[in-house]
């Protein structure tokens, strides 16, 4: 086996997205669709930078608070803070093609806030400290997600009230410090069904009216329920089972966003086949989030390498590490039938930033060295392959649109 760090995974694609910074009032008729890939590991970050350069396109790099967070409490990806992530990306992305973004920022969006059962004032203050660090670091887009209470979903009225509060504080802090940020908003936890267009219109009218009253800018993106829902290692959203009906509903959501000068973003797009991705694009979705699929792809690649190198003891050690981590629980379906190994695959990437994994990885590298295999490069290549599928699927659809002069 041989793996080179700089080996291209695919032939270069045609340029299909602008490198310009994300702007709040993008022309809604344009064919461009933004791809936002999750910070599931250092290798995922490296893969995003490599692909953005190779294909000469802008990519968004999205980090949840569980992945990247101020210390304490910290996140699971390398223990990086926002500042460290942005510095790392800037060091490797001299062309400025990668936009670092906060994903799911808001109260009770970090496990320590839930575990401590923080009251609203403390949870809001905690999330604001996180946002302030994001802004100071130079994060380009802030996703404000006020969908949670301590152990349940927030009511719509409460979520909107908190959204406006956090939005205003973030904008004021950024403006005072001379920073420019875009905003992404959402007040619902991800569901398998599509959002009701009438309710979505009323939500957006309410939120934008309140933002206008406070002289706050339009959000760059609005998260809608697009029939996409990651469960285990698949997508169980309505889009998979009823693409025609979902496509029609999503089309209405996108029209609503475009009519007021903002853009529709779909979350939980992982594991969708190209046909389903094309349905979202054809329905006017402006941006797609993909994250846990890349952590699973990297974990599977690591297990394949351990098996190919005949390292059963290290494989068992890694599986035990992943199972004990326990993060697989959040992805399970009710009455799940996944095997123990499959559950470990769901949680493997949550261990990649730990000292225990790095020690294990060093042992694997020593075993691979005589075979000219670099473990980091092997794993990064696997993540690049998974990400490239989305680049290719979206790029193909955009080129088809351009050929016929298609407008949203």
């Amino acid at each position: 086996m041989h793996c080179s760090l700089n080996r291209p995974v695919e032939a270069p694609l045609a340029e299909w997205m602008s490198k310009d910074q994300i702007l709040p009032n993008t022309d809604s008729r344009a064919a461009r669709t933004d791809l936002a890939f999750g910070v599931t590991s250092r290798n995922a970050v490296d893969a995003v930078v490599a692909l953005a350069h190779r294909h000469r396109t802008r990519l968004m790099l999205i980090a949840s608070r569980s992945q990247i967070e101020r210390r304490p409490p910290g996140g699971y990806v390398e223990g990086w803070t926002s500042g460290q992530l942005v510095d790392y990306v800037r060091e490797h992305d001299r062309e400025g093609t990668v936009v670092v973004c906060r994903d799911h920022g808001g109260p009770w969006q970090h496990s320590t806030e839930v575990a401590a059962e923080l009251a609203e004032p403390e949870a809001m203050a905690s999330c604001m400290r996180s946002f302030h660090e994001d802004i100071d670091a130079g994060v380009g887009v802030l996703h404000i997600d006020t969908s949670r209470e301590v152990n349940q979903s927030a009511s719509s009225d409460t979520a909107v009230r908190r959204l406006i509060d956090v939005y205003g504080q973030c904008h004021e802090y950024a403006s005072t410090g001379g920073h420019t940020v875009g905003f992404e908003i959402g007040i619902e936890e991800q569901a398998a069904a599509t959002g009701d267009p009438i309710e979505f219109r009323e939500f957006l009218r309410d939120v934008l009216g309140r933002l206008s009253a406070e002289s706050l800018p339009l959000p760059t993106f609005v998260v809608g329920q697009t029939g996409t829902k990651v469960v285990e290692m698949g997508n169980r959203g309505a889009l998979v089972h009823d693409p025609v009906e979902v496509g029609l509903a999503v089309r209405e959501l996108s029209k609503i966003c475009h009519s007021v000068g903002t853009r529709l973003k779909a979350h939980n797009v992982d594991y969708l086949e190209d046909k389903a991705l094309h349905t979202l694009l054809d329905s006017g979705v402006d941006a797609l989030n993909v994250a846990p699929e890349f952590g699973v792809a990297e974990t599977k690649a690591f297990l394949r390498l351990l098996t190919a190198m005949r390292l059963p003891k290290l494989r068992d050690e890694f599986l035990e590490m992943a199972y004990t981590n326990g993060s697989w629980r959040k992805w399970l379906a009710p009455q799940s039938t996944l095997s123990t190994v499959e559950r470990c695959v769901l949680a493997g990437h949550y261990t990649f930033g730990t000292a225990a994994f790095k020690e294990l990885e060093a042992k694997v590298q020593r075993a691979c060295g005589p075979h000219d295999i670099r473990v980091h490069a092997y794993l990064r290549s696997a993540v690049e392959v998974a990400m490239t599928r989305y680049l290719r699927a979206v790029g193909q659809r955009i080129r088809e649109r351009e050929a016929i002069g298609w407008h949203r």
Side-chain angles (χ1 to χ4, degrees):
M1 278 186 285
H2 176 76
C3 186
S4 168
L5 182 63
N6 297 314
R7 176 177 65 82
V9 177
E10 299 282 355
L13 301 175
E15 183 174 358
W16 52 266
M17 286 201 296
S18 167
K19 289 183 182 178
D20 296 339
Q21 289 296 305
I22 295 172
L23 300 174
N25 296 313
T26 303
D27 181 357
S28 63
R29 296 174 301 165
R32 196 190 74 224
T33 299
D34 281 307
L35 282 171
F37 291 157
V39 181
T40 51
S41 69
R42 182 195 292 262
N43 285 324
V45 175
D46 290 340
V48 168
V49 172
L51 289 171
H53 289 181
R54 185 176 306 142
H55 302 309
R56 305 178 303 282
T57 187
R58 182 184 70 201
L59 291 174
M60 298 169 69
L61 186 64
I62 53 173
S64 70
R65 291 184 62 198
S66 64
Q67 293 165 339
I68 303 293
E69 179 65 317
R70 72 183 196 284
R71 290 195 296 266
Y76 71 79
V77 178
E78 301 297 321
W80 282 339
T81 63
S82 297
Q84 289 172 311
L85 173 63
V86 171
D87 287 346
Y88 183 87
V89 171
R90 285 176 176 167
E91 179 184 352
H92 295 83
D93 174 36
R94 298 301 176 89
E95 299 177 13
T97 53
V98 175
V99 182
V100 178
C101 309
R102 167 59 71 195
D103 193 30
H104 295 288
W108 298 286
Q109 293 289 349
H110 194 280
S111 60
T112 57
E113 295 168 355
V114 176
E117 298 185 346
L118 295 185
E120 179 175 337
E122 289 75 25
M124 291 286 280
S126 178
C127 85
M128 287 311 307
R129 288 192 293 272
S130 177
F131 278 130
H132 287 172
E133 185 167 299
D134 292 341
I135 293 166
D136 288 336
V139 170
V141 178
L142 303 176
H143 174 204
I144 302 175
D145 179 355
T146 53
S147 64
R148 292 185 178 177
E149 293 282 359
V150 178
N151 292 307
Q152 61 185 3
S153 297
S155 69
S156 178
D157 289 345
T158 299
V160 169
R161 172 178 58 79
R162 291 173 182 157
L163 170 65
I164 302 302
D165 185 1
V166 173
Y167 201 120
Q169 289 190 61
C170 287
H171 178 68
E172 180 180 5
Y173 186 85
S175 299
T176 301
H179 302 286
T180 300
V181 295
F183 292 96
E184 174 181 340
I185 61 172
I187 63 164
E188 297 177 312
E189 297 197 57
Q190 195 69 24
T194 52
D196 178 85
I198 296 176
E199 294 178 359
F200 186 74
R201 186 187 300 277
E202 289 304 311
F203 154 71
L204 206 50
R205 179 180 293 134
D206 180 24
V207 169
L208 297 188
R210 297 193 196 194
L211 292 177
S212 178
E214 300 290 336
S215 299
L216 295 170
L218 281 172
T220 306
F221 297 110
V222 178
V223 181
Q225 297 290 356
T226 53
T228 50
K229 174 70 172 176
V230 173
V231 179
E232 297 180 345
M233 287 176 276
N235 203 303
R236 301 194 184 181
L239 175 63
V240 176
H241 311 294
D242 196 354
V244 174
E245 184 174 341
V246 169
L248 292 173
V250 173
R251 163 61 67 184
E252 292 305 309
L253 302 184
S254 71
K255 286 181 178 178
I256 293 167
C257 287
H258 298 161
S259 70
V260 295
T262 188
R263 306 173 70 205
L264 179 65
K265 200 166 195 243
H267 282 208
N268 274 221
V269 176
D270 310 66
Y271 305 109
L272 290 177
E273 295 181 357
D274 289 3
K275 187 175 181 180
L277 293 172
H278 292 167
T279 296
L280 291 177
L281 300 179
D282 293 346
S283 299
V285 171
D286 300 286
L288 308 172
N289 273 24
V290 192
E293 179 180 346
F294 304 138
V296 167
E298 188 173 354
T299 298
K300 287 181 175 180
F302 191 58
L303 288 171
R304 286 196 302 271
L305 181 60
L306 293 171
T307 299
M309 295 304 300
R310 299 179 182 177
L311 301 170
K313 290 184 179 180
L314 294 181
R315 184 178 184 274
D316 289 345
E317 185 179 338
F318 172 62
L319 290 173
E320 176 64 24
M321 191 185 303
Y323 190 84
T324 302
N325 174 274
S327 295
W328 46 268
R329 292 184 177 90
K330 68 178 288 188
W331 300 109
L332 290 189
Q335 290 81 49
S336 175
T337 60
L338 286 189
S339 67
T340 299
V341 171
E342 288 171 323
R343 296 179 187 214
C344 293
V345 170
L346 287 173
H349 69 279
Y350 292 92
T351 72
F352 290 163
T354 64
F357 178 83
K358 293 182 184 302
E359 183 179 343
L360 185 149
E361 186 183 35
K363 295 176 183 177
V364 177
Q365 183 59 66
R366 286 194 290 272
C368 290
H371 302 275
D372 195 24
I373 300 170
R374 288 182 290 169
V375 176
H376 274 298
Y378 181 87
L379 298 181
R380 193 192 81 174
S381 181
V383 179
E384 286 186 25
V385 168
M387 291 178 175
T388 298
R389 184 176 73 82
Y390 290 91
L391 283 151
R392 184 168 295 283
V394 173
Q396 174 191 350
R397 205 55 159 190
I398 289 176
R399 289 192 297 274
E400 291 171 353
R401 290 173 175 177
E402 291 173 342
I404 63 173
W406 184 91
H407 283 160
R408 286 179 175 151

